[in-house]
Amino acid sequence: MNHLFVTQDQALMPRWQAAFAEAKCVTSEQAEAWAGADTVVWVLKEEHAADGPFLRRLAQRATVVVLSMIPENSAAMEALQQGARGYAHALSPADTLKQIATVVMNQGIWVPPDLMAQVMGSTWRLLNGDQQVQSSVLEALTQREREVALAVAKGASNKVVARELDITERTVKAHLTAIFSKLDIHDRLQLIIKLTGKGASEKVSNAPSYSSSK
């Protein structure tokens, strides 16, 4: 797997190379020339904020992740619309960068937690989730897990779930881990599909996997 970082700021490379030792700092021209199916191209938003055509061209040849020093949900949506498969903070820890790479190279999409909540809420409403909840799925969970699962599916962030249920965010994450294991799923979008019984739907089952930290 090749990792190309499109930036003029060489000072950032040691941080990124902590995740990918062989990562290269390249120009936009080099990125387009070297991009391929086995390449993740990481683009620093602050240097290419308005260059939609550049992102679209890259996305046709490689997997693109946009990095930003000041992440914003609107910018994340714009990046995804241009073909990027991920959007994250430019100073993300090495472990997070590795997780992002794994997700996007497996046809998933990595977005910030706040945006994730918006995506999940919209998907739940689109699928008419409140009327489609599968009782047989909920029966596999404890009462508290059901509360967490439904809140997350409706678009609540971990912080909101923790506040509403008067538990810690760490406990919310633990419940999500248990829920995913019991339902044999891997992310929040799959949770919605499982809860609504839409797994057989061609349109939904072929949707990309959206990920962020649990």
Side-chain angles (χ1 to χ4, degrees), residues 4-212:
L4 305 179
F5 286 81
V6 186
T7 178
Q8 299 175 7
D9 192 347
Q10 292 279 352
L12 292 170
M13 284 308 297
R15 170 180 289 273
W16 295 333
Q17 287 173 330
F20 314 110
E22 303 301 319
K24 295 181 175 64
C25 178
V26 300
T27 64
S28 56
E29 291 79 10
Q30 289 173 324
E32 290 196 65
W34 298 346
D38 62 345
T39 305
V40 180
V41 182
W42 308 73
V43 180
L44 188 62
K45 170 184 174 293
E46 281 70 20
E47 295 179 11
H48 299 275
D51 200 350
F54 169 63
L55 290 181
R56 287 194 294 272
R57 289 194 302 272
L58 273 183
Q60 291 175 356
R61 303 180 57 190
T63 300
V64 178
V65 177
V66 173
L67 300 173
S68 176
M69 287 295 191
I70 309 176
E72 298 177 340
N73 285 350
S74 59
M77 289 301 299
E78 181 178 352
L80 296 181
Q81 290 169 359
Q82 301 296 347
R85 297 201 68 86
Y87 182 91
H89 200 295
L91 302 182
S92 296
D95 286 347
T96 299
L97 293 177
K98 291 177 181 178
Q99 290 177 33
I100 294 171
T102 298
V103 168
V104 298
M105 287 304 294
N106 283 282
Q107 303 304 308
I109 292 178
W110 183 283
V111 294
D114 288 347
L115 182 57
M116 168 67 72
Q118 293 180 29
V119 170
M120 295 301 96
S122 297
T123 303
W124 180 261
R125 291 189 293 274
L126 177 66
L127 297 179
N128 198 22
D130 287 335
Q131 281 71 48
Q132 300 294 329
V133 176
Q134 303 294 298
S135 58
S136 60
V137 175
L138 292 178
E139 288 172 359
L141 308 176
T142 67
Q143 180 59 36
R144 181 61 91 186
E145 288 169 353
R146 294 173 192 169
E147 294 170 345
V148 171
L150 288 172
V152 167
K154 293 177 182 180
S157 66
N158 288 358
K159 182 178 295 185
V160 170
V161 175
R163 183 174 65 247
E164 291 182 347
L165 298 182
D166 194 25
I167 56 179
T168 66
E169 287 189 59
R170 176 177 292 184
T171 300
V172 173
K173 291 181 179 181
H175 282 312
L176 284 173
T177 297
I179 291 166
F180 289 178
S181 176
K182 289 181 178 181
L183 300 183
D184 192 25
I185 56 178
H186 304 288
D187 58 48
R188 297 177 184 223
L189 183 60
Q190 290 181 347
L191 173 62
I192 291 179
I193 293 172
K194 195 82 168 183
L195 286 173
T196 58
K198 297 295 184 180
S201 167
E202 185 71 17
K203 181 177 180 180
V204 175
S205 62
N206 286 340
S209 168
Y210 285 80
S211 298
S212 68

